[in-house]
Amino acid sequence: IDFTDDPTGHLLLEPQSTNLITYSSDFSSATWNASTDVIVDEGYLSPEGTLNATKVTKDGTNAKLAMFIGGTAPITKSIYARTVSGTGTAYFGEGSGGVLSTVTEQWQRFEITVSGNNFYAVDFRGAATLTEVIIFGAQFEQKSYATSYIPTSGSAVTRNQELCNNSGTVNDFNSEEGVL
């Protein structure tokens, strides 16, 4: 998913990458530890425009939705999130010891590069002020940056490196004109 506001054309060529989360948008799957004081409700409108996002609601003091994954650093965790209404804070990627993020009613992708293996889709503990969020597209990559979303549904998925063959040489392009 590419959410760019750039009106000019662009070509995004990405390296090979693997999303190690086996259910990237099915947060009711048993691989997600949903028994920790949250309510998981599916069927919300996602950034893709379909009803495959999930509302997670705080339902106790240990309110987090997590998956435990093994990986080798560096690790970048990312997830799309928005509030049901208003603005507030929650933790994404890492637990309540991670980066507290401000969430609005607009879809945003939250990214964090760390060495920890646990993935928190959302954590309402600690200094978090929200009690519910809508989430979509969890991704766990063994890279120092996030690549575009790689959907999964039951196993890790690898996207091959993207190439642009026969597109010219550096002599065909310059930084002033930006034309092909």
Side-chain angles (χ1 to χ4, degrees):
I1 298 174
D2 181 16
F3 297 103
T4 180
D5 291 330
D6 185 353
T8 61
H10 62 279
L11 182 62
L12 174 64
L13 299 175
E14 294 187 295
Q16 177 175 310
S17 190
T18 302
N19 185 356
L20 295 175
I21 292 181
T22 54
Y23 289 95
S24 62
S25 285
D26 181 1
F27 298 100
S28 65
S29 164
T31 59
W32 289 99
N33 185 1
S35 63
T36 54
D37 295 344
V38 293
I39 298 168
V40 176
D41 186 24
E42 297 179 312
Y44 289 81
L45 191 64
S46 77
E48 291 181 325
T50 59
L51 298 175
N52 59 347
T54 301
K55 181 173 80 168
V56 181
T57 305
K58 179 179 181 176
D59 190 39
T61 58
N62 194 29
K64 65 186 185 315
L65 181 62
M67 180 183 286
F68 305 102
I69 303 172
T72 304
I75 294 168
T76 299
K77 306 167 186 182
S78 60
I79 193 165
Y80 291 92
R82 65 178 292 275
T83 63
V84 174
S85 65
T87 299
T89 57
Y91 297 93
F92 301 99
E94 287 289 292
S96 57
V99 177
L100 188 63
S101 299
T102 300
V103 190
T104 68
E105 293 178 30
Q106 301 300 313
W107 282 108
Q108 302 170 73
R109 189 177 194 196
F110 296 94
E111 302 171 1
I112 184 169
T113 301
V114 293
S115 58
N117 287 329
N118 299 337
F119 187 100
Y120 290 81
V122 62
D123 191 337
F124 295 112
R125 300 173 302 164
T129 60
L130 290 171
T131 58
E132 60 184 4
V133 294
I134 300 173
I135 57 175
F136 169 80
Q139 189 153 299
F140 183 102
E141 300 173 89
Q142 293 181 143
K143 292 200 168 322
S144 59
Y145 57 92
T147 66
S148 61
Y149 174 53
I150 304 167
T152 65
S153 57
S155 65
V157 172
T158 299
R159 178 191 52 244
N160 291 329
Q161 177 181 4
E162 298 167 328
L163 300 172
C164 184
N165 296 319
N166 301 319
S167 57
T169 67
V170 71
N171 297 330
D172 297 325
F173 305 96
N174 63 52
S175 62
E176 289 79 35
E177 294 177 44
V179 296
L180 297 176

